Amino acid sequence: MYPNQSNVSLPPNPKVPKGMERAYWYNSGEMREYIDAGPRFAKEGYGFLQPITEDDMRFHRQGYFAATTFVDVQIGKVMAALETYNFHTNTISLVWSDHGWHLGDTNSWGKCTNFETGTRNTLMWRIPNAPNPPSTGRLERTVEMVDLFPTLIDLAGLPPISACHGDQPPTTTCLQGTSYASLFGVGSTSQYNKSYAFSQWPYNNGKSGVIMGYTAKSDDGYRLTEYVHYADFVGDWTNILAREFYDYHNDPHETVNNVNETQYQQRISEMHSVMLCQFANKC
């Protein structure tokens, strides 16, 4: 597949964002461990300010696109089999992934970041006889992966599981997410309305120990990421080590960290309060 490598697209933003601190950049460690990828990264001196060559970018992107096309064909076979054996009218189908995957954008390869590509993932539903399917086949709404299980429970008509409150012991059966089955016209009449999606990813900062990167993406197109010391499963929010702020209206590819720009300070303050409520229970 994709035999002409020279026609394979390049990432729109192959460099790290301006204003990003080196300590919180992911050096694509997983990607560099692959047998066919590692030598290519090594020979080019890959680093914070040094992306791999365009030829090697195309090589890796070509392989990923081919793998994605192959998987797409297999999904098509499963869907066709459901129709062949008359299960398509009573089977909920879902295609999803637990993370995204960088293909050279922000000088990142792999999944371990708090950027848009690392935290945004595939999510496709097929719901037989949904009372209110989206007219375009696509819903432009903010949802989180913790919402998937409660949504599936509602869609399947199963008894609900109670919500978690704070840090629950592992023996407690509860759910942290919120069902969005109502977006398809199923279940509760209350409308799902999340304004933020949250993610986090740890960074081992040498002598400083583990640094946790927490991020919030708003439904109106902004992202705030904050880095704090992390120990015993708790972040130290008394000392923000670094911040990043991205405006997807003016900079959809995250080329500039706007955290110090005057016009964004009110929005940054608002989103910081939201993150304190979400991650530190300081509401």
Side-chain angles (χ1 to χ4, degrees), residues 45-71:
Y46 174 70
F48 182 66
L49 297 177
Q50 181 60 55
I52 59 176
T53 66
E54 290 188 354
D55 283 346
D56 279 346
M57 288 183 192
R58 287 193 169 95
F59 171 80
H60 295 306
R61 289 167 68 89
Q62 177 188 39
Y64 190 89
F65 295 160
T68 302
T69 299
F70 174 81
V71 170

PDB file of all heavy atoms in Angstrom, residues 45-71:
ATOM      1  N   GLY A  45      20.933  12.008  14.688  1.00  0.00           N
ATOM      2  CA  GLY A  45      21.089  12.843  15.862  1.00  0.00           C
ATOM      3  C   GLY A  45      19.790  13.445  16.349  1.00  0.00           C
ATOM      4  O   GLY A  45      19.735  14.600  16.785  1.00  0.00           O
ATOM      5  N   TYR A  46      18.732  12.663  16.262  1.00  0.00           N
ATOM      6  CA  TYR A  46      17.399  13.121  16.657  1.00  0.00           C
ATOM      7  C   TYR A  46      17.408  13.714  18.057  1.00  0.00           C
ATOM      8  O   TYR A  46      17.990  13.149  18.987  1.00  0.00           O
ATOM      9  CB  TYR A  46      16.429  11.936  16.605  1.00  0.00           C
ATOM     10  CG  TYR A  46      15.042  12.215  17.132  1.00  0.00           C
ATOM     11  CD1 TYR A  46      14.174  13.045  16.437  1.00  0.00           C
ATOM     12  CD2 TYR A  46      14.607  11.640  18.319  1.00  0.00           C
ATOM     13  CE1 TYR A  46      12.898  13.288  16.904  1.00  0.00           C
ATOM     14  CE2 TYR A  46      13.329  11.876  18.795  1.00  0.00           C
ATOM     15  CZ  TYR A  46      12.476  12.697  18.087  1.00  0.00           C
ATOM     16  OH  TYR A  46      11.212  12.932  18.565  1.00  0.00           O
ATOM     17  N   GLY A  47      16.796  14.881  18.219  1.00  0.00           N
ATOM     18  CA  GLY A  47      16.748  15.522  19.522  1.00  0.00           C
ATOM     19  C   GLY A  47      15.701  16.612  19.570  1.00  0.00           C
ATOM     20  O   GLY A  47      14.921  16.802  18.623  1.00  0.00           O
ATOM     21  N   PHE A  48      15.679  17.331  20.661  1.00  0.00           N
ATOM     22  CA  PHE A  48      14.664  18.347  20.929  1.00  0.00           C
ATOM     23  C   PHE A  48      14.517  19.325  19.761  1.00  0.00           C
ATOM     24  O   PHE A  48      13.401  19.635  19.332  1.00  0.00           O
ATOM     25  CB  PHE A  48      15.028  19.096  22.210  1.00  0.00           C
ATOM     26  CG  PHE A  48      14.045  20.149  22.626  1.00  0.00           C
ATOM     27  CD1 PHE A  48      12.756  19.820  23.018  1.00  0.00           C
ATOM     28  CD2 PHE A  48      14.429  21.484  22.647  1.00  0.00           C
ATOM     29  CE1 PHE A  48      11.853  20.794  23.419  1.00  0.00           C
ATOM     30  CE2 PHE A  48      13.528  22.476  23.051  1.00  0.00           C
ATOM     31  CZ  PHE A  48      12.241  22.124  23.431  1.00  0.00           C
ATOM     32  N   LEU A  49      15.607  19.796  19.251  1.00  0.00           N
ATOM     33  CA  LEU A  49      15.571  20.769  18.150  1.00  0.00           C
ATOM     34  C   LEU A  49      15.978  20.152  16.818  1.00  0.00           C
ATOM     35  O   LEU A  49      16.185  20.878  15.837  1.00  0.00           O
ATOM     36  CB  LEU A  49      16.493  21.952  18.473  1.00  0.00           C
ATOM     37  CG  LEU A  49      16.111  22.778  19.708  1.00  0.00           C
ATOM     38  CD1 LEU A  49      17.156  23.869  19.948  1.00  0.00           C
ATOM     39  CD2 LEU A  49      14.727  23.390  19.549  1.00  0.00           C
ATOM     40  N   GLN A  50      16.086  18.827  16.774  1.00  0.00           N
ATOM     41  CA  GLN A  50      16.559  18.165  15.556  1.00  0.00           C
ATOM     42  C   GLN A  50      15.613  17.043  15.148  1.00  0.00           C
ATOM     43  O   GLN A  50      15.747  15.901  15.599  1.00  0.00           O
ATOM     44  CB  GLN A  50      17.963  17.594  15.774  1.00  0.00           C
ATOM     45  CG  GLN A  50      18.553  16.895  14.549  1.00  0.00           C
ATOM     46  CD  GLN A  50      18.675  17.838  13.367  1.00  0.00           C
ATOM     47  OE1 GLN A  50      19.281  18.898  13.469  1.00  0.00           O
ATOM     48  NE2 GLN A  50      18.089  17.455  12.239  1.00  0.00           N
ATOM     49  N   PRO A  51      14.621  17.327  14.282  1.00  0.00           N
ATOM     50  CA  PRO A  51      13.762  16.256  13.769  1.00  0.00           C
ATOM     51  C   PRO A  51      14.542  15.325  12.855  1.00  0.00           C
ATOM     52  O   PRO A  51      15.659  15.636  12.423  1.00  0.00           O
ATOM     53  CB  PRO A  51      12.684  17.010  12.977  1.00  0.00           C
ATOM     54  CG  PRO A  51      12.789  18.441  13.422  1.00  0.00           C
ATOM     55  CD  PRO A  51      14.229  18.652  13.794  1.00  0.00           C
ATOM     56  N   ILE A  52      13.974  14.164  12.552  1.00  0.00           N
ATOM     57  CA  ILE A  52      14.578  13.278  11.571  1.00  0.00           C
ATOM     58  C   ILE A  52      14.368  13.876  10.177  1.00  0.00           C
ATOM     59  O   ILE A  52      13.629  14.844  10.005  1.00  0.00           O
ATOM     60  CB  ILE A  52      13.981  11.854  11.659  1.00  0.00           C
ATOM     61  CG1 ILE A  52      12.465  11.872  11.422  1.00  0.00           C
ATOM     62  CG2 ILE A  52      14.297  11.224  13.008  1.00  0.00           C
ATOM     63  CD1 ILE A  52      11.822  10.496  11.405  1.00  0.00           C
ATOM     64  N   THR A  53      15.012  13.304   9.173  1.00  0.00           N
ATOM     65  CA  THR A  53      14.923  13.848   7.819  1.00  0.00           C
ATOM     66  C   THR A  53      13.522  13.652   7.245  1.00  0.00           C
ATOM     67  O   THR A  53      12.754  12.794   7.693  1.00  0.00           O
ATOM     68  CB  THR A  53      15.926  13.169   6.888  1.00  0.00           C
ATOM     69  OG1 THR A  53      15.554  11.785   6.732  1.00  0.00           O
ATOM     70  CG2 THR A  53      17.337  13.269   7.426  1.00  0.00           C
ATOM     71  N   GLU A  54      13.208  14.424   6.229  1.00  0.00           N
ATOM     72  CA  GLU A  54      11.899  14.296   5.585  1.00  0.00           C
ATOM     73  C   GLU A  54      11.725  12.916   4.954  1.00  0.00           C
ATOM     74  O   GLU A  54      10.629  12.350   4.964  1.00  0.00           O
ATOM     75  CB  GLU A  54      11.729  15.391   4.539  1.00  0.00           C
ATOM     76  CG  GLU A  54      11.565  16.777   5.142  1.00  0.00           C
ATOM     77  CD  GLU A  54      11.208  17.829   4.110  1.00  0.00           C
ATOM     78  OE1 GLU A  54      11.198  17.494   2.901  1.00  0.00           O
ATOM     79  OE2 GLU A  54      10.930  18.986   4.502  1.00  0.00           O
ATOM     80  N   ASP A  55      12.797  12.353   4.395  1.00  0.00           N
ATOM     81  CA  ASP A  55      12.704  11.014   3.805  1.00  0.00           C
ATOM     82  C   ASP A  55      12.308   9.984   4.859  1.00  0.00           C
ATOM     83  O   ASP A  55      11.471   9.102   4.613  1.00  0.00           O
ATOM     84  CB  ASP A  55      14.029  10.617   3.160  1.00  0.00           C
ATOM     85  CG  ASP A  55      14.254  11.292   1.823  1.00  0.00           C
ATOM     86  OD1 ASP A  55      13.278  11.857   1.276  1.00  0.00           O
ATOM     87  OD2 ASP A  55      15.397  11.273   1.325  1.00  0.00           O
ATOM     88  N   ASP A  56      12.917  10.078   6.035  1.00  0.00           N
ATOM     89  CA  ASP A  56      12.588   9.112   7.082  1.00  0.00           C
ATOM     90  C   ASP A  56      11.206   9.388   7.678  1.00  0.00           C
ATOM     91  O   ASP A  56      10.505   8.460   8.103  1.00  0.00           O
ATOM     92  CB  ASP A  56      13.654   9.130   8.176  1.00  0.00           C
ATOM     93  CG  ASP A  56      14.869   8.307   7.774  1.00  0.00           C
ATOM     94  OD1 ASP A  56      14.767   7.539   6.810  1.00  0.00           O
ATOM     95  OD2 ASP A  56      15.929   8.446   8.416  1.00  0.00           O
ATOM     96  N   MET A  57      10.792  10.635   7.722  1.00  0.00           N
ATOM     97  CA  MET A  57       9.416  10.937   8.132  1.00  0.00           C
ATOM     98  C   MET A  57       8.433  10.235   7.206  1.00  0.00           C
ATOM     99  O   MET A  57       7.471   9.597   7.652  1.00  0.00           O
ATOM    100  CB  MET A  57       9.157  12.448   8.094  1.00  0.00           C
ATOM    101  CG  MET A  57       9.829  13.247   9.186  1.00  0.00           C
ATOM    102  SD  MET A  57       9.366  15.000   9.049  1.00  0.00           S
ATOM    103  CE  MET A  57      10.543  15.734  10.186  1.00  0.00           C
ATOM    104  N   ARG A  58       8.682  10.350   5.910  1.00  0.00           N
ATOM    105  CA  ARG A  58       7.785   9.707   4.937  1.00  0.00           C
ATOM    106  C   ARG A  58       7.818   8.186   5.089  1.00  0.00           C
ATOM    107  O   ARG A  58       6.784   7.523   4.952  1.00  0.00           O
ATOM    108  CB  ARG A  58       8.173  10.118   3.516  1.00  0.00           C
ATOM    109  CG  ARG A  58       7.809  11.551   3.165  1.00  0.00           C
ATOM    110  CD  ARG A  58       7.938  11.800   1.653  1.00  0.00           C
ATOM    111  NE  ARG A  58       7.355  13.078   1.287  1.00  0.00           N
ATOM    112  CZ  ARG A  58       8.025  14.220   1.165  1.00  0.00           C
ATOM    113  NH1 ARG A  58       9.341  14.216   1.391  1.00  0.00           N
ATOM    114  NH2 ARG A  58       7.420  15.337   0.824  1.00  0.00           N
ATOM    115  N   PHE A  59       8.996   7.636   5.360  1.00  0.00           N
ATOM    116  CA  PHE A  59       9.123   6.183   5.540  1.00  0.00           C
ATOM    117  C   PHE A  59       8.242   5.700   6.682  1.00  0.00           C
ATOM    118  O   PHE A  59       7.478   4.735   6.534  1.00  0.00           O
ATOM    119  CB  PHE A  59      10.587   5.829   5.815  1.00  0.00           C
ATOM    120  CG  PHE A  59      10.814   4.400   6.222  1.00  0.00           C
ATOM    121  CD1 PHE A  59      10.865   3.384   5.272  1.00  0.00           C
ATOM    122  CD2 PHE A  59      10.972   4.062   7.565  1.00  0.00           C
ATOM    123  CE1 PHE A  59      11.069   2.060   5.647  1.00  0.00           C
ATOM    124  CE2 PHE A  59      11.184   2.745   7.952  1.00  0.00           C
ATOM    125  CZ  PHE A  59      11.218   1.743   6.995  1.00  0.00           C
ATOM    126  N   HIS A  60       8.323   6.356   7.830  1.00  0.00           N
ATOM    127  CA  HIS A  60       7.540   5.923   8.986  1.00  0.00           C
ATOM    128  C   HIS A  60       6.049   6.192   8.795  1.00  0.00           C
ATOM    129  O   HIS A  60       5.210   5.373   9.173  1.00  0.00           O
ATOM    130  CB  HIS A  60       8.040   6.638  10.244  1.00  0.00           C
ATOM    131  CG  HIS A  60       9.439   6.277  10.623  1.00  0.00           C
ATOM    132  ND1 HIS A  60       9.852   4.977  10.804  1.00  0.00           N
ATOM    133  CD2 HIS A  60      10.541   7.055  10.861  1.00  0.00           C
ATOM    134  CE1 HIS A  60      11.134   4.959  11.139  1.00  0.00           C
ATOM    135  NE2 HIS A  60      11.570   6.203  11.173  1.00  0.00           N
ATOM    136  N   ARG A  61       5.705   7.313   8.204  1.00  0.00           N
ATOM    137  CA  ARG A  61       4.294   7.637   7.974  1.00  0.00           C
ATOM    138  C   ARG A  61       3.683   6.683   6.950  1.00  0.00           C
ATOM    139  O   ARG A  61       2.534   6.272   7.072  1.00  0.00           O
ATOM    140  CB  ARG A  61       4.168   9.096   7.515  1.00  0.00           C
ATOM    141  CG  ARG A  61       4.450  10.090   8.646  1.00  0.00           C
ATOM    142  CD  ARG A  61       4.640  11.510   8.128  1.00  0.00           C
ATOM    143  NE  ARG A  61       3.408  12.076   7.597  1.00  0.00           N
ATOM    144  CZ  ARG A  61       2.513  12.754   8.325  1.00  0.00           C
ATOM    145  NH1 ARG A  61       2.700  12.921   9.615  1.00  0.00           N
ATOM    146  NH2 ARG A  61       1.437  13.262   7.746  1.00  0.00           N
ATOM    147  N   GLN A  62       4.465   6.306   5.955  1.00  0.00           N
ATOM    148  CA  GLN A  62       4.005   5.343   4.961  1.00  0.00           C
ATOM    149  C   GLN A  62       3.600   4.033   5.631  1.00  0.00           C
ATOM    150  O   GLN A  62       2.531   3.470   5.350  1.00  0.00           O
ATOM    151  CB  GLN A  62       5.113   5.096   3.940  1.00  0.00           C
ATOM    152  CG  GLN A  62       4.771   4.051   2.875  1.00  0.00           C
ATOM    153  CD  GLN A  62       5.985   3.724   2.012  1.00  0.00           C
ATOM    154  OE1 GLN A  62       7.115   3.632   2.519  1.00  0.00           O
ATOM    155  NE2 GLN A  62       5.768   3.551   0.724  1.00  0.00           N
ATOM    156  N   GLY A  63       4.437   3.531   6.543  1.00  0.00           N
ATOM    157  CA  GLY A  63       4.121   2.284   7.233  1.00  0.00           C
ATOM    158  C   GLY A  63       2.882   2.397   8.094  1.00  0.00           C
ATOM    159  O   GLY A  63       2.055   1.479   8.142  1.00  0.00           O
ATOM    160  N   TYR A  64       2.735   3.530   8.762  1.00  0.00           N
ATOM    161  CA  TYR A  64       1.559   3.713   9.625  1.00  0.00           C
ATOM    162  C   TYR A  64       0.279   3.803   8.796  1.00  0.00           C
ATOM    163  O   TYR A  64      -0.743   3.203   9.142  1.00  0.00           O
ATOM    164  CB  TYR A  64       1.726   4.985  10.461  1.00  0.00           C
ATOM    165  CG  TYR A  64       0.682   5.125  11.544  1.00  0.00           C
ATOM    166  CD1 TYR A  64       0.890   4.585  12.809  1.00  0.00           C
ATOM    167  CD2 TYR A  64      -0.514   5.785  11.303  1.00  0.00           C
ATOM    168  CE1 TYR A  64      -0.059   4.702  13.804  1.00  0.00           C
ATOM    169  CE2 TYR A  64      -1.479   5.910  12.280  1.00  0.00           C
ATOM    170  CZ  TYR A  64      -1.246   5.371  13.537  1.00  0.00           C
ATOM    171  OH  TYR A  64      -2.204   5.496  14.517  1.00  0.00           O
ATOM    172  N   PHE A  65       0.326   4.548   7.697  1.00  0.00           N
ATOM    173  CA  PHE A  65      -0.857   4.666   6.835  1.00  0.00           C
ATOM    174  C   PHE A  65      -1.255   3.302   6.271  1.00  0.00           C
ATOM    175  O   PHE A  65      -2.439   2.968   6.188  1.00  0.00           O
ATOM    176  CB  PHE A  65      -0.587   5.637   5.688  1.00  0.00           C
ATOM    177  CG  PHE A  65      -0.364   7.064   6.121  1.00  0.00           C
ATOM    178  CD1 PHE A  65       0.289   7.960   5.293  1.00  0.00           C
ATOM    179  CD2 PHE A  65      -0.792   7.506   7.360  1.00  0.00           C
ATOM    180  CE1 PHE A  65       0.497   9.271   5.682  1.00  0.00           C
ATOM    181  CE2 PHE A  65      -0.591   8.818   7.773  1.00  0.00           C
ATOM    182  CZ  PHE A  65       0.061   9.699   6.931  1.00  0.00           C
ATOM    183  N   ALA A  66      -0.262   2.508   5.906  1.00  0.00           N
ATOM    184  CA  ALA A  66      -0.557   1.175   5.361  1.00  0.00           C
ATOM    185  C   ALA A  66      -1.204   0.292   6.421  1.00  0.00           C
ATOM    186  O   ALA A  66      -2.177  -0.428   6.143  1.00  0.00           O
ATOM    187  CB  ALA A  66       0.725   0.531   4.838  1.00  0.00           C
ATOM    188  N   ALA A  67      -0.682   0.336   7.641  1.00  0.00           N
ATOM    189  CA  ALA A  67      -1.261  -0.467   8.729  1.00  0.00           C
ATOM    190  C   ALA A  67      -2.690  -0.033   9.020  1.00  0.00           C
ATOM    191  O   ALA A  67      -3.581  -0.868   9.259  1.00  0.00           O
ATOM    192  CB  ALA A  67      -0.398  -0.333   9.984  1.00  0.00           C
ATOM    193  N   THR A  68      -2.939   1.287   8.992  1.00  0.00           N
ATOM    194  CA  THR A  68      -4.284   1.797   9.246  1.00  0.00           C
ATOM    195  C   THR A  68      -5.254   1.342   8.164  1.00  0.00           C
ATOM    196  O   THR A  68      -6.396   0.943   8.450  1.00  0.00           O
ATOM    197  CB  THR A  68      -4.258   3.332   9.311  1.00  0.00           C
ATOM    198  OG1 THR A  68      -3.359   3.751  10.342  1.00  0.00           O
ATOM    199  CG2 THR A  68      -5.643   3.886   9.607  1.00  0.00           C
ATOM    200  N   THR A  69      -4.824   1.376   6.918  1.00  0.00           N
ATOM    201  CA  THR A  69      -5.674   0.923   5.812  1.00  0.00           C
ATOM    202  C   THR A  69      -5.985  -0.566   5.955  1.00  0.00           C
ATOM    203  O   THR A  69      -7.122  -1.002   5.727  1.00  0.00           O
ATOM    204  CB  THR A  69      -4.987   1.194   4.466  1.00  0.00           C
ATOM    205  OG1 THR A  69      -4.766   2.600   4.330  1.00  0.00           O
ATOM    206  CG2 THR A  69      -5.849   0.709   3.308  1.00  0.00           C
ATOM    207  N   PHE A  70      -4.992  -1.343   6.342  1.00  0.00           N
ATOM    208  CA  PHE A  70      -5.209  -2.777   6.542  1.00  0.00           C
ATOM    209  C   PHE A  70      -6.259  -3.026   7.626  1.00  0.00           C
ATOM    210  O   PHE A  70      -7.182  -3.829   7.458  1.00  0.00           O
ATOM    211  CB  PHE A  70      -3.896  -3.460   6.921  1.00  0.00           C
ATOM    212  CG  PHE A  70      -4.042  -4.918   7.279  1.00  0.00           C
ATOM    213  CD1 PHE A  70      -4.126  -5.885   6.283  1.00  0.00           C
ATOM    214  CD2 PHE A  70      -4.120  -5.323   8.600  1.00  0.00           C
ATOM    215  CE1 PHE A  70      -4.280  -7.231   6.603  1.00  0.00           C
ATOM    216  CE2 PHE A  70      -4.271  -6.659   8.938  1.00  0.00           C
ATOM    217  CZ  PHE A  70      -4.353  -7.612   7.930  1.00  0.00           C
ATOM    218  N   VAL A  71      -6.132  -2.319   8.750  1.00  0.00           N
ATOM    219  CA  VAL A  71      -7.097  -2.484   9.842  1.00  0.00           C
ATOM    220  C   VAL A  71      -8.488  -2.055   9.390  1.00  0.00           C
ATOM    221  O   VAL A  71      -9.499  -2.688   9.736  1.00  0.00           O
ATOM    222  CB  VAL A  71      -6.644  -1.681  11.078  1.00  0.00           C
ATOM    223  CG1 VAL A  71      -7.747  -1.637  12.132  1.00  0.00           C
ATOM    224  CG2 VAL A  71      -5.383  -2.291  11.677  1.00  0.00           C
TER     225      VAL A  71
END
